[in-house]
Amino acid sequence: MSPRAACRLTTLGFTHVHDYVGGKVDWLARNLPVHGTNADTPTIGQYLSDEVITAHPDEPVTDVRARVAASRHGFALVTDTNGILLGRLRGTTLSDADPARPVGEVMEGGPSTLRPHEPAAAIKARLTDKGLSYAVVTDPDGRLMGTVEPADL
Amino acid sequence: MAPIDYPQLRRLLDHGVQLVEVLPAGEYAEMHLPDAINIPLKTLDAATTAALDRHRPVVVYCWDGL
């Protein structure tokens, strides 16, 4: 729809017309503020926790294992230098893998993620139904934003 | 007409771009980007755009660019 609107404006004499191709959904998925009658609907983006343990793919398992053990979490998330989510290290992986291996070689690649504009109530119900204790949230570029837990929603 | 992504939009917003949501009025009323005005695509003409400055940048958006 917006490409047609941009063309229409050009035909009406507008000289600098841009089409934000990501649109409203891209904006929402970046956890940015909106106005309107539904703007106050609770979303998971309002309950994000950034306490999750993160690791770079070239770190040895032993280092990440120690950080996870010292935290309240039983897992870690692997990101690149730009914060893009690459994978997940479950507790069993951290305890069973060769401590000297880089975590990038033992991680579970491409974990499922949610966007922050998902409604909190629906996500709480979904996580509870599936017996999941947390969900990973990323922005449209794949950048890790944090995690949410059903008890917090 | 130039397609832009979020970082480009951010820069334009920082310079006071004119932002137009072209979705129907009901969708705009429910949720829209801050400072956006609403001119639904079906109503886009010389009269409805008269309040806009034709020589300043304008960004249009819909739900997902399709």
Side-chain angles (χ1 to χ4, degrees):
Chain A
M1 182 180 283
S2 57
R4 287 182 286 153
C7 287
R8 178 73 175 127
L9 286 177
T10 301
T11 64
L12 290 169
F14 286 82
T15 54
H16 300 91
V17 182
H18 307 273
D19 174 19
Y20 174 30
V21 292
K24 201 187 308 191
V25 69
D26 182 74
W27 182 272
L28 291 167
R30 295 176 189 279
N31 209 23
L32 295 169
V34 289
H35 293 170
T37 56
N38 288 357
D40 294 331
T41 301
T43 64
I44 61 172
Q46 297 167 18
Y47 301 95
L48 279 175
S49 167
D50 61 0
E51 294 176 357
V52 66
I53 303 302
T54 60
H56 292 291
D58 55 352
E59 282 191 79
V61 166
T62 186
D63 289 0
V64 183
R65 182 189 294 166
R67 291 209 299 278
V68 169
S71 78
R72 69 179 186 88
H73 296 287
F75 66 97
L77 298 173
V78 182
T79 61
D80 73 3
T81 53
N82 294 315
I84 305 297
L85 179 65
L86 301 174
R88 171 170 47 196
L89 294 158
R90 295 180 189 271
T92 51
T93 303
L94 285 169
S95 58
D96 296 346
D98 178 346
R101 288 186 73 183
V103 294
E105 294 181 4
V106 300
M107 69 181 185
E108 164 198 352
S112 298
T113 61
L114 299 175
R115 301 288 90 73
H117 64 291
E118 301 271 5
I123 296 303
K124 178 175 185 171
R126 191 192 309 172
L127 294 176
T128 302
D129 287 348
K130 294 185 174 182
L132 299 174
S133 58
Y134 68 93
V136 182
V137 182
T138 58
D139 74 9
D141 300 320
R143 192 168 290 109
L144 177 64
M145 302 183 82
T147 57
V148 291
E149 300 181 9
D152 294 333
L153 298 177
Chain B
M1 185 272 283
I4 58 170
D5 58 14
Y6 172 71
Q8 293 168 303
L9 172 65
R10 185 77 265 163
R11 284 192 288 274
L12 287 165
L13 289 172
D14 290 342
H15 290 86
V17 72
Q18 304 172 99
L19 189 58
V20 180
E21 177 168 321
V22 298
L23 290 164
E27 294 183 49
Y28 172 86
E30 289 179 354
M31 200 177 287
H32 55 268
L33 276 58
D35 298 324
I37 65 166
N38 182 220
I39 308 178
L41 175 63
K42 290 180 183 297
T43 69
L44 206 54
D45 59 25
T48 58
T49 60
L52 297 172
D53 184 339
R54 283 171 161 65
H55 301 294
R56 282 180 51 221
V58 179
V59 172
V60 294
Y61 72 90
C62 58
W63 176 247
D64 57 6
L66 299 178

